[in-house]
Amino acid sequence: MTEYLWRLPARGDGRRANPELRQRGGFGGPGPITPATDVRPGNFGPFDDLHQIIDAAELNGLDGVLAPYDPLGEESWIVAAGALRATRHARVVVEFQPAFGTPVYAAKISATLQRLSAGRLGWRLAVDTDIADERARGDRVVGDDRYARAAEFLTVARGVWNSDPIPGAGFKGTGFEYAGEFYDVIDGGFRGILSGLPFPQVYLSGTSAAALKLSAKHADVHVFTEAPDGFAAPLAELRRLAGAQGRTVRAGLELPIIARETETEAWARVERQWRELHPTGPDATSLSLGDGRWAGFGELGYPQAIGLVGSYEQVARQLQVYTAAGIDSIALSGHPHIEEVHRTGEHLLHLADPAGRVLTEAPA
């Protein structure tokens, strides 16, 4: 069974192609008043819209949601905590950068969230972030040193974590010691209610040599994005590096989708979005890469440039191509989110992953 996650919006949502005109969630300013608008103040806030998306993802059969790191958007840890509180079964993956805090602090927050959610929290580290973002948050670690720090971060976080219950003993740790370039820990380790919990599943990403090396040693899932020439080469390198460590790392993929009943309807949606931003010039199909892959999603405000466009059957077939290539965790996205989540759950997932999502009669 392939794991399907939904990437949550971090800066509001809406139908428009221009992200600045998306008025759901409080980021694009107030929307126009219509007969359906509740004009009473305080009855529907930004997080109500976000929680509708979270609820829809769980109710429509997705396996979980990704709360993305966005320096200009909602804080991912707060969104993840709200999602864990609002759901019963969904995995919630929080994306954050290692400069967020010490690994011991991140581990302690996560231990409490694991207690809250019965072990449904996952981590995704945003290691290779924008230089301007790094400067704005006061982070002076640059280049491949970011990956060295991330390796220490995960080593320390796992070191203080105890998956087996350990009785409390006041402020006494469990003897974990670490002296590194970025972190030093003396007598670290969780006891009592912070022990006996599953460590968050770790998702990492990137295709540089440093990123693949980090994942080979520390990741549970390495997340790729689509590229014009695919991801077969970095996936093969990841498997080689992980094998040398005696490990197996699952492969994931993150991509936006526009899927409709027919291919014509899907491309009509793309063209409407495209013409909002490009009233003249070549049409949207000029960026088609074949096999339903389209390279214009970045201009529509998505973090990934390449995603899938087509009928539900066509998109499902391409998703099956990915799973056949070794992908077993896929994070989808689309806007407006709540509508696209419902379309995905009702029309797409059972086609893309029938073995995991279609009930069959037990043999007599």
Side-chain angles (χ1 to χ4, degrees):
M1 178 175 173
T2 305
E3 174 186 64
Y4 279 93
L5 307 175
W6 190 266
R7 181 187 180 96
L8 298 173
R11 276 188 252 173
D13 190 20
R15 297 181 178 277
R16 302 295 295 274
N18 184 348
E20 296 180 1
L21 299 178
R22 298 176 192 167
Q23 294 160 330
R24 300 181 192 175
F27 274 79
I33 301 297
T34 73
T37 300
D38 187 346
V39 295
R40 295 170 298 174
N43 284 314
F44 190 82
F47 273 78
D48 293 306
D49 180 72
L50 189 57
H51 275 269
Q52 283 188 339
I53 300 167
I54 293 165
D55 290 342
E58 183 170 59
L59 292 171
N60 278 281
L62 283 107
D63 300 298
V65 295
L66 166 66
Y69 169 72
D70 183 341
L72 300 179
E74 304 286 9
E75 171 53 48
S76 58
W77 281 97
I78 306 301
V79 173
L84 288 168
R85 182 67 180 87
T87 54
R88 296 179 60 194
H89 309 289
R91 177 183 297 279
V92 177
V93 180
V94 57
E95 184 179 32
F96 63 98
Q97 38 78 29
F100 157 80
T102 72
V104 178
Y105 180 57
K108 184 178 180 184
I109 292 174
S110 299
T112 296
L113 291 175
Q114 292 295 54
R115 279 171 45 78
L116 170 76
S117 65
R120 293 185 285 119
L121 178 71
W123 280 4
R124 179 167 168 178
L125 267 62
V127 181
D128 188 5
T129 53
D130 183 77
I131 294 293
D133 171 30
E134 294 168 1
R135 291 292 182 265
R137 65 172 184 258
D139 189 358
R140 300 172 64 181
V141 179
V142 297
D144 283 354
D145 285 346
R146 294 172 299 179
Y147 290 94
R149 177 178 62 184
E152 287 195 13
F153 186 100
L154 290 167
T155 299
V156 170
R158 290 186 187 275
V160 299
W161 195 282
N162 290 296
S163 297
D164 296 323
I166 297 178
F171 293 103
K172 182 177 175 61
T174 59
F176 175 74
E177 307 278 340
Y178 187 84
E181 182 180 355
F182 301 95
Y183 306 106
D184 292 281
V185 179
I186 299 173
D187 191 26
F190 297 156
R191 291 175 173 270
I193 61 172
L194 298 181
S195 66
L197 300 163
F199 191 80
Q201 186 165 266
V202 175
Y203 296 71
L204 297 172
S205 60
T207 55
S208 68
L212 295 175
K213 182 180 177 181
L214 177 68
S215 280
K217 188 171 183 179
H218 292 280
D220 298 305
V221 183
H222 185 91
V223 182
F224 294 93
T225 55
E226 257 287 20
D229 55 353
F231 50 83
L235 175 55
E237 178 64 5
L238 173 67
R239 287 174 171 165
R240 184 188 71 79
L241 292 170
Q245 297 275 347
R247 302 184 70 241
T248 299
V249 178
R250 294 168 52 207
L253 183 66
E254 186 171 4
L255 76 167
I257 58 169
I258 296 177
R260 295 295 187 268
E261 291 286 350
T262 66
E263 181 181 14
T264 300
E265 186 182 353
W267 279 108
R269 166 66 174 166
V270 173
E271 189 64 24
R272 287 194 299 272
Q273 295 267 292
W274 184 255
R275 286 305 178 198
E276 183 180 322
L277 300 174
H278 303 280
T280 61
D283 60 22
T285 57
S286 63
L287 296 178
S288 174
L289 302 175
D291 298 322
R293 300 187 306 154
W294 185 61
F297 279 99
E299 297 206 36
L300 302 185
Y302 292 90
Q304 301 79 32
I306 300 175
L308 298 180
V309 176
S311 69
Y312 296 121
E313 290 79 7
Q314 290 171 326
V315 171
R317 281 197 297 271
Q318 186 58 31
L319 291 173
Q320 289 175 336
V321 169
Y322 294 140
T323 57
I327 299 295
D328 70 355
S329 175
I330 299 177
L332 301 173
S333 61
H335 70 82
H337 284 256
I338 191 165
E339 290 91 331
E340 295 303 322
V341 166
H342 280 291
R343 287 189 175 99
T344 298
E346 294 170 13
H347 301 291
L348 180 62
L349 289 188
H350 71 283
L351 298 175
D353 187 26
R357 299 171 196 278
V358 178
L359 290 176
T360 59
E361 276 190 42

